[in-house]
Amino acid sequence: MTAVGIDAVEIWTGKLKLDLAETFAPEMGDDPAKYTKGLGLEGSSFPDAYEDIVTMGANAAHRLMERKDLDPDDVGRIDVATESAFDNSKPVSTYIAGCLEQVYEGDFHHANKGERKFACIAGTQSIDDAYNWIKAGRNRGRGAIVVASDTALYARGDAGEATQGAGAVAMWITENPSLVELSTEQGYGSADETDFLKPNQQFPSVDGKRSVQVYLSRMREALEDFESVAGETHPDDYEYIPFHTPFPGMVRKAAVLGYRHMIRGTDAEEALTDRIGPQPRRDDFDSREAFDDAIRDYMDDLKETEEYREWYGETIEPTLSISSQVGNWYTGSVHIARMSALRAAAEAGDDLTGDKLLVGSYGSGAQAEIHEETIVDGWEEEALATNIDEQIERRYDISFDEYEQVHDRHNHDKRTELEPFTQPDGEFVFDGWGPMNERKYTFV
Ligand code: HMG
């Protein structure tokens, strides 16, 4: 059977940085530790005045095509996952293809283009579409570019304002990939929820606290569904477990639930029993409340065990490093979690070929999906090829006043003019509106 998966990844961060502890917390009257320790976030990325989902996506895709030496004829699909689109008809992928055609000979007229929407999970769904297209043998030897691009802005004053972010991830999906091969097996947890939605509005309506619970419930369902087809999972089976990361604190909650689920009935649970007791079982409790309390107590104890802490430090923590610097990138978020971990391993010189990842994607509204990935030969070179650390370092650190201007600039209802803080160089920039209210782009 042909292996299909992610061959290469490029990441593009918005060029501005809001320091949450130094700049945002004091203005909110908050203890900086709420951000750095509670949410697990140091900073958020924002787009400069000339950046948006198209420029960030096109710049990431351009880097990908240059690095992999691709020309338009190699590309059979361009799919964009976003929940920040500005057009209900014309997909962002057409704008991105238009940008790329400015810098390549030839065109993408032969390429199927689309836009996927299901909150943050749409990036993973677009990879699925590409996988299915290749597996079905419809690709004629070509690969698919999947771009996940978002400006994750919340209304000023919303609790979600602390978790904003902006950036794009471009992925090249092919046969015989050089980074990870995707499993056929998948698990889903999907339900009609109203935890976070944007009914024809730019900034989300969010029930923040409930969204956390919905994330955990759907993720648990997805894991159970995955196990029903792939067999029981065990924490030691996976080198890393990248999750959708709206903020690292969310992943902290998901990880301990996942660990509890995976060790249930195994030697690992047995080994902890003399210290924290056996896991509470529903049948042993008269009421749901009493059972829930017992579970909470068990998890509080579990989190403090050496076994859990070591597993978390090795399997989860490395997935969070980029997110903690850039915030929530919605559709791109789980894909930067994967790259955070693989880059750290490549830098440490680890040998992971043949090892597995368990990947947990989530989108509000709501759906979780879990699948497995096998790390393949060539992964180190691919993981180290992106220059995301340099990009993060180079961001312009905005003051609170500047943050307010930047938020207004990207508010679709305001169309505020703003002098850029950085100088574009060899990249696509937003260039104003055309006669049909279309957005225009140039390569500078
Ligand atoms: P909040 O009310 O501002 O924060 O909202 P909080 O008071 O809950 O504090 C956050 C954490 O910091 C808590 O940790 C506090 O204890 C801790 P926890 O108890 O939960 O572990 N904390 C401190 N820690 C140390 N020192 C201190 C301190 N103070 C507090 N001094 C909330 C937080 C997440 C609700 C808010 O940011 C929000 O609404 N965010 C947007 C929604 C969101 O991100 N939801 C996540 C799940 S849904 C999802 O992932 C989908 C999404 O990506 C969208 C999509 O799919 O398209 C959002």
Side-chain angles (χ1 to χ4, degrees):
M1 265 219 311
T2 321
V4 176
I6 307 173
D7 185 67
V9 178
E10 284 291 344
I11 307 174
W12 188 276
T13 175
K15 293 203 181 163
L16 309 179
K17 166 197 168 186
L18 175 67
D19 191 310
L20 291 169
E22 298 283 323
T23 309
F24 190 69
E27 292 288 336
M28 297 295 118
D30 285 332
D31 179 353
K34 170 178 169 182
Y35 301 92
T36 53
K37 295 206 161 58
L39 296 171
L41 289 168
E42 304 285 332
S44 307
S45 284
F46 285 88
D48 203 341
Y50 54 85
E51 293 187 291
D52 66 11
I53 49 169
V54 172
T55 65
M56 295 187 298
N59 286 321
H62 185 212
R63 281 185 61 95
L64 189 70
M65 289 187 65
E66 287 297 286
R67 182 161 70 74
K68 298 302 283 188
D69 198 19
L70 303 175
D71 63 51
D73 285 343
D74 299 318
V75 181
R77 287 175 79 99
I78 304 179
D79 287 314
V80 174
T82 185
E83 51 177 297
S84 318
F86 44 78
D87 193 311
N88 285 324
S89 173
K90 182 174 156 60
V92 171
S93 49
T94 59
Y95 283 97
I96 289 184
C99 286
L100 294 170
E101 284 171 356
Q102 294 180 32
V103 293
Y104 288 102
E105 283 190 17
D107 58 49
F108 293 95
H109 290 200
H110 57 275
N112 188 9
K113 306 180 190 88
E115 188 173 299
R116 257 285 192 174
K117 178 182 71 183
F118 194 149
C120 304
I121 202 173
T124 298
Q125 291 182 318
S126 299
I127 295 177
D128 268 1
D129 293 339
Y131 175 96
N132 294 335
W133 169 71
I134 296 172
K135 283 279 182 181
R138 290 174 147 182
N139 62 318
R140 296 187 247 160
R142 293 164 173 167
I145 292 180
V146 167
V147 176
S149 186
D150 272 299
T151 46
L153 297 187
Y154 288 76
R156 298 293 314 282
D158 189 291
E161 205 180 353
T163 65
Q164 299 175 110
V169 181
M171 294 170 275
W172 178 230
I173 314 299
T174 63
E175 294 171 36
N176 302 317
S178 307
L179 187 68
V180 292
E181 179 189 341
L182 305 175
S183 66
T184 308
E185 295 78 14
Q186 296 176 290
Y188 289 102
S190 189
D192 177 12
E193 298 276 9
T194 50
D195 54 331
F196 170 112
L197 55 157
K198 302 179 183 174
N200 286 326
Q201 63 199 45
Q202 184 187 2
F203 303 133
S205 302
V206 199
D207 186 342
K209 302 280 184 223
R210 205 165 79 77
S211 74
V212 169
Q213 295 313 318
V214 176
Y215 176 120
L216 296 174
S217 303
R218 302 290 80 79
M219 202 61 89
R220 181 181 48 75
E221 281 174 0
L223 182 57
E224 285 169 357
D225 192 45
F226 176 73
E227 288 182 323
S228 75
V229 58
E232 301 267 290
T233 54
H234 188 281
D236 296 343
D237 293 346
Y238 301 104
E239 194 59 35
Y240 298 112
I241 305 187
F243 280 101
H244 166 57
T245 311
F247 53 93
M250 181 69 242
V251 172
R252 245 182 354 242
K253 294 181 204 293
V256 66
L257 270 176
Y259 188 83
R260 173 175 67 91
H261 176 92
M262 289 195 273
I263 64 167
R264 191 179 303 144
T266 69
D267 291 355
E269 182 190 358
E270 186 69 35
L272 296 171
T273 308
D274 56 340
R275 276 168 289 154
I276 62 171
Q279 293 199 15
R281 270 38 178 200
R282 179 67 187 90
D283 291 350
D284 298 334
F285 293 84
D286 293 339
S287 69
R288 181 82 217 178
E289 290 71 32
F291 173 62
D292 288 345
D293 286 348
I295 288 280
R296 252 191 303 276
D297 290 345
Y298 180 84
M299 289 205 300
D300 284 346
D301 292 342
L302 179 63
K303 271 191 290 207
E304 300 308 321
T305 61
E306 209 183 304
E307 288 86 340
Y308 178 75
R309 291 167 82 99
E310 191 181 320
W311 173 81
Y312 184 88
E314 287 173 357
T315 314
I316 306 293
E317 192 83 51
T319 68
L320 303 175
S321 58
I322 301 179
S323 289
S324 69
Q325 301 297 324
V326 303
N328 193 355
W329 283 11
Y330 289 160
T331 53
S333 160
V334 65
H335 307 293
I336 55 180
R338 178 197 294 105
M339 289 307 280
S340 287
L342 293 179
R343 284 174 65 74
E347 276 160 13
D350 296 346
D351 176 12
L352 303 188
T353 303
D355 289 348
K356 304 243 187 250
L357 308 176
L358 190 70
V359 180
S361 303
Y362 176 75
S364 285
Q367 180 162 302
E369 187 263 5
I370 289 194
H371 67 267
E372 220 171 65
E373 296 178 0
T374 306
I375 303 167
V376 292
D377 205 22
W379 70 275
E380 300 98 318
E381 198 182 318
E382 290 304 328
L384 293 174
T386 75
N387 69 343
I388 183 61
D389 302 335
E390 239 174 274
Q391 291 183 44
I392 287 174
E393 200 54 39
R394 268 205 313 261
R395 288 174 302 174
Y396 173 87
D397 195 353
I398 47 180
S399 68
F400 193 79
D401 269 3
E402 289 167 342
Y403 161 63
E404 295 193 298
Q405 294 163 20
V406 169
H407 198 285
D408 280 354
R409 165 70 178 173
H410 295 287
N411 181 334
H412 296 172
D413 293 335
K414 292 197 171 171
R415 288 200 175 181
T416 313
E417 289 305 318
L418 179 67
E419 277 303 309
F421 299 96
T422 61
Q423 188 65 39
D425 180 18
E427 65 195 84
F428 299 102
V429 298
F430 168 64
D431 204 12
W433 281 268
M436 294 181 78
N437 208 23
E438 75 275 24
R439 294 171 79 94
K440 312 272 281 175
Y441 300 93
T442 16
F443 188 78
V444 295

